[in-house]
Amino acid sequence: MSHVLRRSLTADQPTIVKGKGSYLIDDTGRRYLDACGGAAVSCLGHDNKAVREAVTAQMNILAYAHTGLFTNEPAEKLADFLIARAPKGTGEGRVMYLGSGSEAMEAAMKLARQYHLERGDTARTRFIARAPSYHGNTLGALAVGGHAGRRAPFAAMLIDVEHIDAAYAYRMQRDDETEADFALRLANQLEDRIQAMGPETVAAFIAEPVVGASLGSQPAPAGYFKRIREICDAHGVLYIADEVMCGMGRTGSLYALEQEGICADITTMAKGLGAGYQPIAAVMASEKVINAILDGSGKLWNGHTYMSHAVATAGAMAVMQEIEDRNLLADVKRLGARLEKGLRDHLGQHAHVGNIRGRGLFWSVELVQDRETKAPFDVKRNLAGRIQTAAMQAGVIFYPSQGCADGTAGDHVLIAPCYTSTEEEIDTIIETLAQVIEAETV
Ligand code: PLP
């Protein structure tokens, strides 16, 4: 019997002993092509030499020195890198490091509150986020998340957060509505909600630039985030961009928000930042937020023991350097175009494929019982989970989710391959998914 408290206490799990390129290898020698990087984490594959060497080298000289007293070189270098490439408007921002996406979201929420307190705007305690969305599993992050199933058992313990609709074109854009009209209608939900709550009570709006697992790699309609930025600015509300899943190159630009032409006041990032080699997340505060603190207490009212860990930041710096030196963003765009075309060619006309959406190397296939009515499959059938199991038997790993249609029903399968994938691997991913969907939807 295992003494690890696993996600399932009853299911048998293979033991992974090695990573090789885009593959994970178990203790029986079985190879799995990782088509989703776990959860959009392993963007450089599983045996990147430069990152391994950077982590080992840092471990050999310094692992840990408490941030109450010291800084360290890798943390400084990585912050310089991230700020230098941040979306225009971020200015002389600063970066804090944490261990997980959830921790980063908690820290971002507290930073937003600190910003307002430093300016004497004491009534701003409330957050507006979107549904569906996922922002993590700690209580604050879970509270701002809009995932009904994950929230349910803990609902009685969560802070009160307002949710507006995520811009989910497949189910929400009206037939008589242009993309621009749809973008405006959905973004204006924020304006209405801020007015209803009282602008002076709202601390921040939280949204993923490209929605990850909860909705299936859903980009926003053109113009949506420009309008969001205007509304936030008009009411003194901060915008927190959760780039934990969609950031660090996954959508073809280092920051997903670059493609929307705006900048956030606070940005969180995690998965692709460490690429799985080290547990690391970051919160980037823009110059506007930093100036409020500099003009006020001059102190960060939040801290954790493992902030700015030297080995974690050295690993992440090497990941960023690999992405830049090898021009991997160009590969994300090239391979992403191949993935999109392949998915559309193989699955675009399938009777049970309702929608194929995504950007860069971040794609999802939403499955429906009926293409005409868009009716989802019965939740109990667990179609997305069955697709994952069947694909794993065929040696390819996908990320399944349920709940996109109404919070509970709606199956989709997320694809987030390594930026270092070969074209053959991309083709295998497409062909395997098409075969498994065909077999599981009869
Ligand atoms: N935000 C987003 C968009 C995520 O996808 C996730 C995790 O999937 C999180 C936050 C939480 O990150 P973590 O699981 O590292 O706590």
Side-chain angles (χ1 to χ4, degrees), residues 195-352:
Q195 294 294 359
M197 291 164 70
E200 69 290 349
T201 68
V202 182
F205 171 63
I206 301 176
E208 299 162 76
V210 176
V211 187
S214 61
L215 197 45
S217 51
Q218 175 70 68
Y224 175 86
F225 277 106
K226 282 223 164 90
R227 178 71 188 128
I228 290 291
R229 186 68 269 178
E230 274 171 20
I231 296 168
C232 287
D233 288 343
H235 297 294
V237 170
L238 295 183
Y239 168 43
I240 300 175
D242 179 348
E243 296 221 3
V244 166
M245 199 177 216
C246 62
M248 309 343 280
R250 177 56 59 195
T251 65
S253 48
L254 191 64
Y255 296 93
L257 207 53
E258 280 172 52
Q259 297 181 49
E260 308 302 332
I262 66 154
C263 75
D265 300 301
I266 300 175
T267 305
T268 57
M269 53 204 113
K271 297 170 189 283
L273 182 62
Y277 291 91
Q278 288 289 297
I280 184 165
V283 176
M284 181 166 71
S286 67
E287 184 172 329
K288 170 171 128 184
V289 172
I290 294 300
N291 281 346
I293 300 177
L294 286 173
D295 293 344
S297 70
K299 298 222 173 336
L300 177 64
W301 298 341
N302 189 15
H304 294 272
T305 301
Y306 285 125
M307 274 163 65
S308 289
H309 193 275
V311 179
T313 48
M317 187 62 241
V319 172
M320 294 300 105
Q321 210 71 63
E322 279 284 275
I323 291 176
E324 190 156 286
D325 293 352
R326 292 168 61 184
N327 197 15
L328 291 178
L329 296 182
D331 291 336
V332 171
K333 289 185 205 127
R334 177 179 56 83
L335 294 168
R338 188 179 186 95
L339 179 58
E340 176 182 6
K341 181 172 185 314
L343 290 173
R344 295 201 189 284
D345 288 351
H346 283 74
L347 288 164
Q349 300 309 315
H350 193 281
H352 295 294

Side-chain angles (χ1 to χ4, degrees), residues 100-103 105 134-137 208 242 244-245 270-271 399:
S100 71
S102 302
E103 264 186 279
M105 289 308 299
Y134 180 64
H135 298 295
N137 251 336
E208 299 162 76
D242 179 348
V244 166
M245 199 177 216
K271 297 170 189 283
Y399 188 126

